[in-house]
Short mmCIF file of all heavy atoms in Angstrom, two decimals:
data_model
loop_
_atom_site.label_atom_id
_atom_site.label_comp_id
_atom_site.label_asym_id
_atom_site.label_seq_id
_atom_site.Cartn_x
_atom_site.Cartn_y
_atom_site.Cartn_z
N VAL A 1 22.04 -7.59 -1.44
CA VAL A 1 22.13 -8.48 -2.60
C VAL A 1 23.60 -8.82 -2.85
O VAL A 1 24.51 -8.09 -2.44
CB VAL A 1 21.50 -7.83 -3.85
CG1 VAL A 1 20.01 -7.56 -3.62
CG2 VAL A 1 22.22 -6.57 -4.26
N ASP A 2 23.82 -9.92 -3.55
CA ASP A 2 25.18 -10.32 -3.89
C ASP A 2 25.73 -9.55 -5.09
O ASP A 2 26.93 -9.29 -5.16
CB ASP A 2 25.24 -11.83 -4.20
CG ASP A 2 24.98 -12.68 -2.97
OD1 ASP A 2 25.33 -12.25 -1.85
OD2 ASP A 2 24.41 -13.77 -3.13
N ASP A 3 24.86 -9.20 -6.03
CA ASP A 3 25.28 -8.54 -7.26
C ASP A 3 24.23 -7.49 -7.61
O ASP A 3 23.08 -7.82 -7.94
CB ASP A 3 25.41 -9.59 -8.37
CG ASP A 3 26.16 -9.07 -9.59
OD1 ASP A 3 26.48 -7.86 -9.64
OD2 ASP A 3 26.40 -9.88 -10.50
N LEU A 4 24.60 -6.22 -7.54
CA LEU A 4 23.65 -5.12 -7.62
C LEU A 4 22.94 -5.01 -8.96
O LEU A 4 21.72 -4.84 -9.01
CB LEU A 4 24.35 -3.81 -7.27
CG LEU A 4 23.45 -2.61 -7.03
CD1 LEU A 4 22.46 -2.87 -5.91
CD2 LEU A 4 24.28 -1.38 -6.73
N GLU A 5 23.65 -5.09 -10.06
CA GLU A 5 23.02 -4.85 -11.36
C GLU A 5 21.90 -5.85 -11.68
O GLU A 5 20.82 -5.43 -12.08
CB GLU A 5 24.06 -4.82 -12.49
CG GLU A 5 24.81 -3.52 -12.59
CD GLU A 5 25.96 -3.37 -11.59
OE1 GLU A 5 26.19 -4.30 -10.77
OE2 GLU A 5 26.63 -2.33 -11.62
N PRO A 6 22.11 -7.16 -11.52
CA PRO A 6 21.01 -8.08 -11.79
C PRO A 6 19.83 -7.88 -10.83
O PRO A 6 18.67 -8.02 -11.23
CB PRO A 6 21.62 -9.47 -11.62
CG PRO A 6 23.08 -9.27 -11.71
CD PRO A 6 23.36 -7.87 -11.26
N ALA A 7 20.12 -7.56 -9.57
CA ALA A 7 19.04 -7.32 -8.60
C ALA A 7 18.24 -6.09 -8.99
O ALA A 7 17.01 -6.08 -8.90
CB ALA A 7 19.62 -7.18 -7.20
N LEU A 8 18.93 -5.05 -9.44
CA LEU A 8 18.25 -3.83 -9.88
C LEU A 8 17.40 -4.13 -11.11
O LEU A 8 16.24 -3.71 -11.20
CB LEU A 8 19.26 -2.72 -10.16
CG LEU A 8 18.69 -1.42 -10.73
CD1 LEU A 8 17.64 -0.82 -9.79
CD2 LEU A 8 19.82 -0.44 -11.01
N ALA A 9 17.95 -4.84 -12.07
CA ALA A 9 17.21 -5.17 -13.28
C ALA A 9 15.94 -5.96 -12.94
O ALA A 9 14.87 -5.70 -13.50
CB ALA A 9 18.09 -5.96 -14.25
N ARG A 10 16.06 -6.88 -12.02
CA ARG A 10 14.90 -7.68 -11.60
C ARG A 10 13.84 -6.81 -10.94
O ARG A 10 12.64 -6.94 -11.23
CB ARG A 10 15.37 -8.77 -10.64
CG ARG A 10 14.32 -9.76 -10.26
CD ARG A 10 14.99 -10.95 -9.63
NE ARG A 10 14.35 -11.24 -8.36
CZ ARG A 10 14.66 -12.27 -7.61
NH1 ARG A 10 15.63 -13.09 -7.97
NH2 ARG A 10 14.02 -12.50 -6.50
N ALA A 11 14.25 -5.90 -10.08
CA ALA A 11 13.29 -5.00 -9.41
C ALA A 11 12.61 -4.08 -10.42
O ALA A 11 11.40 -3.86 -10.36
CB ALA A 11 14.00 -4.20 -8.33
N LEU A 12 13.38 -3.54 -11.36
CA LEU A 12 12.81 -2.66 -12.38
C LEU A 12 11.83 -3.41 -13.27
O LEU A 12 10.75 -2.90 -13.59
CB LEU A 12 13.92 -2.02 -13.22
CG LEU A 12 14.87 -1.08 -12.47
CD1 LEU A 12 15.99 -0.62 -13.39
CD2 LEU A 12 14.13 0.10 -11.86
N GLU A 13 12.17 -4.63 -13.64
CA GLU A 13 11.28 -5.45 -14.46
C GLU A 13 9.97 -5.74 -13.72
O GLU A 13 8.90 -5.82 -14.33
CB GLU A 13 11.98 -6.76 -14.84
CG GLU A 13 11.14 -7.71 -15.65
CD GLU A 13 10.84 -7.22 -17.06
OE1 GLU A 13 11.61 -6.42 -17.61
OE2 GLU A 13 9.82 -7.67 -17.62
N ALA A 14 10.04 -5.85 -12.40
CA ALA A 14 8.85 -6.12 -11.60
C ALA A 14 7.99 -4.88 -11.38
O ALA A 14 6.85 -5.00 -10.93
CB ALA A 14 9.27 -6.70 -10.24
N GLY A 15 8.53 -3.70 -11.70
CA GLY A 15 7.74 -2.48 -11.57
C GLY A 15 8.31 -1.41 -10.66
O GLY A 15 7.68 -0.37 -10.45
N ALA A 16 9.50 -1.63 -10.12
CA ALA A 16 10.13 -0.61 -9.29
C ALA A 16 10.60 0.55 -10.16
O ALA A 16 10.80 0.40 -11.37
CB ALA A 16 11.33 -1.20 -8.54
N LEU A 17 10.79 1.70 -9.55
CA LEU A 17 11.37 2.87 -10.21
C LEU A 17 12.72 3.16 -9.58
O LEU A 17 12.84 3.21 -8.36
CB LEU A 17 10.46 4.08 -10.04
CG LEU A 17 9.06 3.97 -10.66
CD1 LEU A 17 8.23 5.18 -10.29
CD2 LEU A 17 9.16 3.81 -12.16
N GLN A 18 13.74 3.34 -10.40
CA GLN A 18 15.06 3.69 -9.90
C GLN A 18 15.08 5.18 -9.59
O GLN A 18 14.62 5.99 -10.38
CB GLN A 18 16.13 3.36 -10.94
CG GLN A 18 17.54 3.60 -10.46
CD GLN A 18 18.58 3.11 -11.45
OE1 GLN A 18 18.28 2.33 -12.35
NE2 GLN A 18 19.81 3.57 -11.28
N GLU A 19 15.65 5.53 -8.45
CA GLU A 19 15.72 6.92 -8.02
C GLU A 19 17.18 7.30 -7.83
O GLU A 19 17.74 7.19 -6.75
CB GLU A 19 14.94 7.12 -6.73
CG GLU A 19 13.45 6.83 -6.91
CD GLU A 19 12.64 7.09 -5.67
OE1 GLU A 19 13.13 6.87 -4.56
OE2 GLU A 19 11.47 7.50 -5.83
N GLY A 20 17.80 7.73 -8.89
CA GLY A 20 19.21 8.11 -8.84
C GLY A 20 20.11 7.01 -9.34
O GLY A 20 19.69 5.89 -9.64
N ASP A 21 21.38 7.37 -9.42
CA ASP A 21 22.40 6.46 -9.92
C ASP A 21 22.87 5.50 -8.84
O ASP A 21 22.68 5.76 -7.64
CB ASP A 21 23.62 7.25 -10.42
CG ASP A 21 23.28 8.13 -11.61
OD1 ASP A 21 22.40 7.76 -12.41
OD2 ASP A 21 23.91 9.21 -11.73
N ILE A 22 23.51 4.44 -9.25
CA ILE A 22 24.20 3.55 -8.31
C ILE A 22 25.36 4.35 -7.72
O ILE A 22 26.12 4.99 -8.44
CB ILE A 22 24.71 2.29 -9.01
CG1 ILE A 22 23.52 1.44 -9.50
CG2 ILE A 22 25.63 1.48 -8.10
CD1 ILE A 22 23.91 0.24 -10.34
N ARG A 23 25.47 4.31 -6.40
CA ARG A 23 26.57 5.00 -5.71
C ARG A 23 27.50 3.95 -5.11
O ARG A 23 27.06 2.88 -4.70
CB ARG A 23 26.02 5.91 -4.62
CG ARG A 23 25.11 7.00 -5.16
CD ARG A 23 24.65 7.97 -4.07
NE ARG A 23 24.28 7.32 -2.83
CZ ARG A 23 23.02 7.12 -2.44
NH1 ARG A 23 22.01 7.50 -3.17
NH2 ARG A 23 22.77 6.55 -1.28
N GLU A 24 28.78 4.30 -5.05
CA GLU A 24 29.76 3.36 -4.51
C GLU A 24 30.58 4.04 -3.43
O GLU A 24 30.94 5.22 -3.55
CB GLU A 24 30.67 2.84 -5.62
CG GLU A 24 31.55 1.70 -5.16
CD GLU A 24 32.17 0.92 -6.30
OE1 GLU A 24 31.53 0.81 -7.37
OE2 GLU A 24 33.28 0.42 -6.09
N ALA A 25 30.87 3.28 -2.38
CA ALA A 25 31.73 3.72 -1.29
C ALA A 25 32.65 2.56 -0.95
O ALA A 25 32.51 1.47 -1.52
CB ALA A 25 30.89 4.12 -0.07
N ASN A 26 33.57 2.76 -0.03
CA ASN A 26 34.49 1.67 0.31
C ASN A 26 33.78 0.50 0.98
O ASN A 26 34.26 -0.63 0.94
CB ASN A 26 35.67 2.16 1.14
CG ASN A 26 35.24 2.77 2.45
OD1 ASN A 26 34.12 3.22 2.61
ND2 ASN A 26 36.15 2.80 3.41
N TRP A 27 32.63 0.72 1.55
CA TRP A 27 31.87 -0.35 2.21
C TRP A 27 30.93 -1.10 1.27
O TRP A 27 30.48 -2.20 1.56
CB TRP A 27 31.05 0.20 3.38
CG TRP A 27 30.17 1.35 3.01
CD1 TRP A 27 30.47 2.68 3.13
CD2 TRP A 27 28.88 1.29 2.42
NE1 TRP A 27 29.44 3.45 2.65
CE2 TRP A 27 28.44 2.61 2.22
CE3 TRP A 27 28.03 0.25 2.04
CZ2 TRP A 27 27.22 2.92 1.66
CZ3 TRP A 27 26.80 0.56 1.48
CH2 TRP A 27 26.41 1.88 1.30
N GLY A 28 30.58 -0.47 0.10
CA GLY A 28 29.68 -1.17 -0.80
C GLY A 28 29.06 -0.26 -1.85
O GLY A 28 29.48 0.88 -2.04
N ARG A 29 28.06 -0.80 -2.51
CA ARG A 29 27.35 -0.10 -3.58
C ARG A 29 25.86 -0.08 -3.23
O ARG A 29 25.35 -1.05 -2.66
CB ARG A 29 27.56 -0.83 -4.90
CG ARG A 29 29.04 -0.98 -5.22
CD ARG A 29 29.28 -1.92 -6.39
NE ARG A 29 28.82 -1.27 -7.61
CZ ARG A 29 28.12 -1.89 -8.55
NH1 ARG A 29 27.78 -3.15 -8.44
NH2 ARG A 29 27.74 -1.23 -9.63
N ILE A 30 25.16 1.01 -3.62
CA ILE A 30 23.77 1.18 -3.22
C ILE A 30 23.01 1.92 -4.31
O ILE A 30 23.57 2.76 -5.01
CB ILE A 30 23.69 1.93 -1.87
CG1 ILE A 30 22.27 1.92 -1.30
CG2 ILE A 30 24.25 3.33 -1.98
CD1 ILE A 30 22.20 2.39 0.16
N VAL A 31 21.74 1.59 -4.44
CA VAL A 31 20.85 2.32 -5.34
C VAL A 31 19.49 2.40 -4.68
O VAL A 31 19.02 1.45 -4.04
CB VAL A 31 20.77 1.67 -6.74
CG1 VAL A 31 20.14 0.29 -6.70
CG2 VAL A 31 20.05 2.58 -7.72
N GLN A 32 18.85 3.55 -4.82
CA GLN A 32 17.52 3.77 -4.26
C GLN A 32 16.48 3.41 -5.32
O GLN A 32 16.63 3.74 -6.49
CB GLN A 32 17.34 5.22 -3.85
CG GLN A 32 18.23 5.61 -2.68
CD GLN A 32 18.16 7.10 -2.45
OE1 GLN A 32 18.98 7.85 -2.96
NE2 GLN A 32 17.17 7.51 -1.68
N ILE A 33 15.41 2.76 -4.85
CA ILE A 33 14.28 2.45 -5.72
C ILE A 33 12.99 2.74 -4.95
O ILE A 33 13.00 2.89 -3.73
CB ILE A 33 14.29 0.98 -6.19
CG1 ILE A 33 14.19 0.01 -5.01
CG2 ILE A 33 15.53 0.68 -7.03
CD1 ILE A 33 14.00 -1.45 -5.41
N ALA A 34 11.89 2.81 -5.69
CA ALA A 34 10.56 2.90 -5.09
C ALA A 34 9.73 1.75 -5.64
O ALA A 34 9.81 1.42 -6.82
CB ALA A 34 9.91 4.24 -5.43
N ASP A 35 8.94 1.13 -4.77
CA ASP A 35 8.04 0.08 -5.23
C ASP A 35 6.82 0.73 -5.89
O ASP A 35 6.65 1.95 -5.84
CB ASP A 35 7.69 -0.88 -4.08
CG ASP A 35 6.78 -0.30 -3.01
OD1 ASP A 35 6.13 0.75 -3.24
OD2 ASP A 35 6.71 -0.90 -1.93
N PRO A 36 5.96 -0.04 -6.52
CA PRO A 36 4.80 0.54 -7.21
C PRO A 36 3.78 1.19 -6.27
O PRO A 36 2.83 1.81 -6.74
CB PRO A 36 4.16 -0.66 -7.92
CG PRO A 36 5.24 -1.68 -8.02
CD PRO A 36 6.10 -1.47 -6.80
N PHE A 37 3.99 1.07 -4.97
CA PHE A 37 3.05 1.59 -3.98
C PHE A 37 3.58 2.81 -3.26
O PHE A 37 3.03 3.25 -2.26
CB PHE A 37 2.69 0.47 -2.99
CG PHE A 37 2.48 -0.84 -3.71
CD1 PHE A 37 3.43 -1.83 -3.65
CD2 PHE A 37 1.36 -1.03 -4.50
CE1 PHE A 37 3.26 -3.02 -4.36
CE2 PHE A 37 1.19 -2.21 -5.21
CZ PHE A 37 2.14 -3.21 -5.14
N GLY A 38 4.70 3.36 -3.77
CA GLY A 38 5.24 4.60 -3.24
C GLY A 38 6.26 4.45 -2.12
O GLY A 38 6.77 5.44 -1.63
N HIS A 39 6.57 3.23 -1.72
CA HIS A 39 7.50 3.01 -0.61
C HIS A 39 8.95 2.99 -1.11
O HIS A 39 9.25 2.40 -2.14
CB HIS A 39 7.22 1.67 0.09
CG HIS A 39 5.80 1.50 0.53
ND1 HIS A 39 5.16 2.39 1.36
CD2 HIS A 39 4.88 0.55 0.23
CE1 HIS A 39 3.92 1.99 1.57
NE2 HIS A 39 3.72 0.87 0.89
N GLY A 40 9.84 3.62 -0.36
CA GLY A 40 11.25 3.65 -0.71
C GLY A 40 12.00 2.43 -0.20
O GLY A 40 11.73 1.94 0.90
N TRP A 41 12.93 1.97 -1.00
CA TRP A 41 13.79 0.83 -0.68
C TRP A 41 15.19 1.14 -1.18
O TRP A 41 15.36 1.99 -2.06
CB TRP A 41 13.32 -0.43 -1.42
CG TRP A 41 11.96 -0.92 -1.02
CD1 TRP A 41 10.76 -0.41 -1.43
CD2 TRP A 41 11.67 -1.98 -0.13
NE1 TRP A 41 9.75 -1.12 -0.85
CE2 TRP A 41 10.28 -2.09 -0.05
CE3 TRP A 41 12.46 -2.86 0.60
CZ2 TRP A 41 9.65 -3.04 0.74
CZ3 TRP A 41 11.84 -3.82 1.38
CH2 TRP A 41 10.45 -3.90 1.44
N CYS A 42 16.18 0.45 -0.67
CA CYS A 42 17.53 0.50 -1.23
C CYS A 42 17.99 -0.92 -1.51
O CYS A 42 17.73 -1.83 -0.73
CB CYS A 42 18.53 1.16 -0.27
SG CYS A 42 18.29 2.93 -0.09
#
C-alpha cells in the first residue's frame, strides 16, 4: 500500500482483525491482519 494507516483502517472497517502493532524498519512499515475467514495477511 502507499499509506499504511488508511489501508489498515479500511481493512478493519471491512472486518479484518489487527494482529499486533505497526512495525517499522529501514525498508518499510508492516502490520499483520487476519481476514474474517481466518487467513493471515500483511
Side-chain angles (χ1 to χ4, degrees):
V1 299
D2 292 328
D3 194 354
L4 192 58
E5 282 80 359
L8 176 59
R10 187 166 129 176
L12 295 175
E13 178 69 25
L17 298 174
Q18 184 173 343
E19 297 183 326
D21 296 328
I22 294 174
R23 298 185 317 257
E24 189 164 328
N26 60 337
W27 53 266
R29 304 170 70 223
I30 189 168
V31 65
Q32 293 172 266
I33 62 172
D35 71 17
F37 318 105
H39 307 304
W41 296 79
C42 288

